[in-house]
Amino acid sequence: MRFIGNKENLVDRIYHVIQEKNIKVKSFFDVFAGTANVGRYFKNKNIQIYSSDLLYFSYVLQQAYIVNNKEILFEKLLSKLDFTSRIFFASPLGLVIEYLNNLKPVEGFIYKHYCPSGSSELTQPRKYFSNENGKIIDSIRIQIENWYSDDLISKNEYYVLLACLIETVPYYANVSGVFAAFHKKWDPRAVKKLELRQIKTIINDKTNFSFNVNSVELLDIEADIYYLDPPYNQRQYAPNYHLLETIAKYDNPKIRGVTGIRAYENQKSKFCNKITALQELDKIAKHGLYKTLILSYNTEGIMPQQKIISILEKYGKLETVEFKYLRFKSNNNGLSKSKKYVNEQLFILRKHE
Ligand SMILES: C[S@@+](CC[C@H](N)C(=O)[O-])C[C@H]1O[C@@H](n2cnc3c(N)ncnc32)[C@H](O)[C@@H]1O
């Protein structure tokens, strides 16, 4: 998924640094999980994962990729669905996805507020999704919720289906990566008919945990590694991804403004302010029950390098590793994007015994 600060392309290098430095890792806490990509990578290595994020849609992804630990079979649902598949040898998830892809479109919350016809009474009707795709998103989201409340799908099955929807939606959104604004003209991918995509489940032989809270409240988690990948600048994540949050929660929120943003007071990160970021970093380094703390940060971040070093050095032996990294960048109003090389730095702190 396109997500600011997504470490999909960096995580393999981080793992190699961990190996080269002989850092023990049987358990791993992904403290700022985002897309859950980092946790997924380490789960694949059969490491026990803890992960957390302030965003609920991140929690959905974490539940589907990190907590769910088996192939899902949809036994109850498939025994009730009256439906003939056109796909040979489809997996149970494949069958359910096919069913969802053939639902009758519904004019629900997304259509009414984020598509041009649904929001036509506004001075500037919103063009986040085509009318057709808005209705498809509504029909799929409502059906998943109904199955869950009718007890036809398990909690794991519920989160896997929601994760399929969350992973699919950005491919059809009329935006430049973030949802802080929509294009005035249609991007070609936004006018293609939305087809729900399958996610791949990951299985290891550990029990893994995920949370949807301020991670600074989770410092009693004991893990060999705490991996910290906090926001780098003042831009809060919640307003930039408000629509994914609303699709994940589907809670008919009060929305406002040209973009139809939801309130995010309780999802503001202290890492988006230079002073409070340093204070929070200190708390984690001081109180966290880790053996090694790894902070990913880059030279453009709001916490100055020297300040980071002086905080972390108090708690153990500190090393830094630096690499060049191609980072996704979207401008302030989200209407243009560029690729940019930045220097990504790893601060590796081995705590005093
Ligand atoms: C740079 S992104 C992480 C990207 C992630 N490593 C990935 O690969 O997708 C930072 C994340 O930290 C989350 N966040 C910020 N402050 C937080 C806090 N205090 N507790 C939990 N999550 C927080 C944001 O919501 C955002 O998802």
Side-chain angles (χ1 to χ4, degrees):
M1 170 186 293
R2 293 186 70 195
F3 187 72
I4 299 171
N6 184 347
K7 293 297 176 296
E8 193 173 3
N9 299 326
L10 202 64
V11 61
D12 197 45
R13 285 156 84 180
I14 296 172
Y15 182 66
H16 284 107
V17 171
I18 292 172
Q19 282 190 313
E20 276 160 26
K21 298 199 174 290
N22 270 324
I23 297 171
K24 181 185 151 207
V25 50
K26 289 209 165 108
S27 50
F28 184 96
F29 180 12
D30 187 8
V31 182
F32 300 86
T35 59
N37 275 327
V38 176
R40 279 159 72 177
Y41 180 96
F42 282 87
K43 184 181 179 190
N44 247 324
K45 305 267 178 216
N46 207 24
I47 291 162
Q48 182 182 39
I49 308 298
Y50 297 84
S51 68
S52 173
D53 201 286
L54 285 168
L55 299 174
Y56 180 72
F57 86 83
S58 165
Y59 178 70
V60 164
L61 299 174
Q62 294 169 55
Q63 283 285 330
Y65 291 119
I66 306 297
V67 173
N68 174 50
N69 225 356
K70 52 179 189 265
E71 282 309 330
I72 46 169
L73 299 173
F74 293 105
E75 281 169 318
K76 208 167 178 182
L77 178 67
L78 287 173
S79 73
K80 294 264 162 50
L81 279 190
D82 183 15
F83 150 75
T84 317
S85 168
R86 273 177 264 140
I87 306 172
F88 288 117
F89 306 118
S91 65
L93 177 58
L95 287 174
V96 176
I97 295 278
E98 189 188 352
Y99 182 88
L100 289 171
N101 272 328
N102 287 290
L103 290 172
K104 195 165 162 278
V106 174
E107 294 185 0
F109 192 84
I110 299 302
Y111 168 78
K112 285 185 194 140
H113 297 285
Y114 299 102
C115 298
S117 296
S119 64
S120 60
E121 81 288 358
L122 297 175
T123 332
Q124 192 183 350
R126 299 191 185 108
K127 287 174 81 171
Y128 277 103
F129 301 110
S130 68
N131 293 325
E132 182 186 29
N133 285 341
K135 290 186 225 171
I136 294 176
I137 294 170
D138 282 319
S139 64
I140 293 174
R141 183 62 188 86
I142 290 167
Q143 182 66 84
I144 296 171
E145 201 63 37
N146 287 345
W147 282 338
Y148 191 46
S149 52
D150 292 345
D151 200 23
L152 286 172
I153 53 176
S154 67
K155 193 168 153 206
N156 280 337
E157 290 167 343
Y158 175 70
Y159 283 118
V160 166
L161 290 178
L162 286 188
C164 291
L165 184 58
I166 293 299
E167 292 278 21
T168 301
V169 159
Y171 289 102
Y172 299 92
N174 194 33
V175 301
S176 297
V178 295
F179 292 81
F182 51 86
H183 291 304
K184 293 203 170 60
K185 290 198 178 132
W186 289 109
D187 184 301
R189 64 209 176 101
V191 293
K192 289 192 192 132
K193 185 179 174 204
L194 185 147
E195 290 219 14
L196 194 59
R197 301 172 179 213
Q198 280 189 52
I199 65 155
K200 283 208 177 79
T201 49
I202 304 159
I203 296 169
N204 72 3
D205 61 20
K206 307 286 188 282
T207 305
N208 308 288
F209 300 91
S210 68
F211 303 89
N212 180 210
V213 297
N214 176 354
S215 298
V216 181
E217 292 163 13
L218 296 174
L219 303 180
D220 54 350
I221 288 178
E222 271 185 62
D224 291 331
I225 293 183
Y226 273 28
Y227 173 68
L228 272 52
D229 184 22
Y232 296 150
N233 58 27
Q234 289 90 349
R235 292 172 75 192
Q236 293 285 345
Y237 274 75
N240 279 299
Y241 295 96
H242 67 100
L243 248 174
L244 295 183
E245 200 66 358
T246 293
I247 292 170
K249 289 189 168 161
Y250 214 65
D251 54 353
N252 297 315
K254 280 208 179 101
I255 59 172
R256 64 178 171 81
V258 176
T259 62
I261 200 169
R262 56 186 293 135
Y264 61 95
E265 238 5 85
N266 57 1
Q267 288 178 307
K268 280 192 176 161
S269 174
K270 291 194 173 159
F271 282 87
C272 296
N273 168 287
K274 182 179 160 179
I275 294 170
T276 52
L278 290 165
Q279 290 164 350
E280 296 296 280
L281 178 65
D282 195 327
K283 270 188 214 160
I284 299 176
K286 184 172 182 185
H287 299 294
L289 300 182
Y290 58 88
K291 296 201 171 70
T292 306
L293 178 151
I294 301 178
L295 167 68
S296 275
Y297 215 59
N298 72 64
T299 36
E300 293 178 348
I302 55 174
M303 293 193 283
Q305 190 182 340
Q306 263 321 311
K307 292 245 161 84
I308 295 176
I309 292 175
S310 51
I311 286 176
L312 297 182
E313 265 180 353
K314 294 189 285 184
Y315 304 108
K317 186 172 155 282
L318 185 66
E319 288 173 79
T320 55
V321 175
E322 189 165 309
F323 20 68
K324 270 209 176 348
Y325 170 53
L326 190 60
R327 186 156 64 95
F328 159 67
K329 216 166 179 287
S330 168
N331 79 351
N332 280 338
N333 62 12
L335 290 176
S336 80
K337 58 182 186 293
S338 61
K339 285 182 170 173
K340 193 172 178 218
Y341 279 100
V342 291
N343 286 330
E344 188 77 19
Q345 214 154 25
L346 293 185
F347 297 85
I348 304 172
L349 170 67
R350 296 179 210 230
K351 205 179 204 178
H352 290 311
E353 291 295 310

